[in-house]
Amino acid sequence: MGAAVFFGCAGIAFGPALALVLLTVAAEPLRVIVLVAGAFFWLVSLLLASLIWFISVHLSDREDAKLQYGLLIFGAAVSVLLQEAFRFAYFKLLKKADEGLATISEDGRSPISLRQMAYVSGLSFGIISGVFSVINILADSIGPGIVGIHGDSPYYFITSAFLTMALVLLHTFWGVIFFDACEKRRYWCLGLVVASHLLTSGLTFLNPWYEASLVPIFIITLCTGLWAFFTAGGSFRNILKCLSCKQEDDSRVMMYSALQVPFED
């Protein structure tokens, strides 16, 4: 039973991310590099946030439960702000790298676009964030023990898996929107990304009242996904074309006679 819960929850949490990596990232070396570097940036932000929370806890009264709970909320808010700060720093680094790649390329264009880097960097933030948020829960799911035997919610593991999946997707969407907002200097978009990230983190404090946290987070995920889709250049016409599985007929005619190599005498 423990193994089934472990693999089931791991599949829910990281199945979409694994599919995205295999289908869109793994075959391109530059995208793999961006993915790994993005995970490193997120880890540095986590290290700084953990250090700030650790110092604040040790300087406070550990016997005051309300104060410690408030410090936990404070630590989560600081972590969100640091993640977004490091996302901006990563944007600046990738912007410089994009200019350098365009300079050394033969055709004057970078082999990877800024939108592709935004998508991959967001995916890397989401994957590493999901790993750190659910790895201990997956380890406990193997057993021994039964969740809910003392009256607690029996849906703890599966709810945590769905929350992790939403978090991974949200980071991917936030990356696309954030990079586009930085490129076009749309500061209100940056504010909405940070605000939605803070709201999502704050909703997790409502657990184990899962109806009040899981449903709003998935609504935020859906809305943010649509926003990222249109930001990346998508449209309803593209969705209909994809669902219909139809290809447009190419009405253009190419003349090959002028491209033939002349016969040698």
Side-chain angles (χ1 to χ4, degrees):
M1 183 65 180
V5 173
F6 173 84
F7 286 108
C9 291
I12 292 173
F14 299 108
L18 179 61
L20 290 174
V21 169
L22 293 178
L23 294 175
T24 62
V25 177
E28 298 290 337
L30 283 177
R31 296 181 188 180
V32 174
I33 294 173
V34 173
L35 186 78
V36 175
F40 172 76
F41 269 73
W42 188 91
L43 285 172
V44 176
S45 72
L46 177 65
L47 176 63
L48 293 178
S50 302
L51 184 62
I52 293 173
W53 176 79
F54 180 79
I55 294 174
S56 62
V57 167
H58 279 267
L59 293 178
S60 63
D61 183 9
R62 299 187 185 182
E63 302 298 328
D64 190 343
K66 291 185 178 180
L67 177 60
Q68 295 303 313
Y69 186 74
L71 288 176
L72 184 61
I73 298 177
F74 167 75
V78 169
S79 177
V80 168
L81 295 177
L82 283 174
Q83 287 178 49
E84 298 305 330
F86 273 84
R87 197 194 302 273
F88 178 74
Y90 195 38
F91 163 78
K92 301 295 287 186
L93 177 65
L94 290 178
K95 184 69 174 176
K96 290 290 185 182
D98 183 63
E99 294 173 358
L101 290 172
T103 302
I104 63 176
S105 64
E106 295 181 355
D107 57 357
R109 294 184 300 177
S110 174
I112 180 172
S113 67
L114 191 63
R115 282 182 176 177
Q116 291 174 347
M117 290 191 288
Y119 158 71
V120 177
S121 67
L123 183 60
S124 67
F125 270 53
I127 291 174
I128 194 66
S129 176
V131 168
F132 271 80
S133 65
V134 83
I135 188 66
N136 290 331
I137 297 174
L138 290 178
D140 291 336
S141 68
I142 300 177
I146 298 176
V147 178
I149 195 171
H150 294 297
D152 298 322
S153 174
Y155 305 110
Y156 174 68
F157 290 129
I158 191 169
T159 305
S160 300
F162 276 107
L163 283 175
T164 302
M165 180 184 69
L167 185 65
V168 173
L169 295 176
L170 275 171
H171 269 290
T172 306
F173 302 149
W174 285 330
V176 174
I177 299 169
F178 193 95
F179 275 44
D180 182 77
C182 290
E183 182 71 13
K184 298 179 180 178
R185 300 182 182 274
R186 294 177 177 174
Y187 301 109
W188 63 273
C189 292
L190 296 177
L192 285 178
V193 169
V194 176
S196 62
H197 196 168
L198 287 170
L199 177 60
T200 302
S201 298
L203 286 171
T204 59
F205 285 95
L206 296 177
N207 292 335
W209 187 18
Y210 298 122
E211 298 86 351
S213 62
L214 191 62
V215 175
I217 287 175
F218 267 87
I219 293 175
I220 295 173
T221 303
L222 178 61
C223 295
T224 309
L226 291 173
W227 186 11
F229 175 74
F230 290 114
T231 299
S235 63
F236 286 114
R237 182 171 176 270
N238 293 338
I239 297 176
L240 294 176
K241 188 191 302 182
C242 178
L243 294 176
S244 62
C245 299
K246 293 182 179 180
Q247 295 182 351
E248 291 184 351
D249 296 331
D250 193 354
S251 58
R252 294 174 298 176
V253 177
M254 181 174 292
M255 301 299 294
Y256 292 95
S257 58
L259 302 177
Q260 293 178 354
V261 179
F263 294 102
E264 296 182 357
D265 296 333

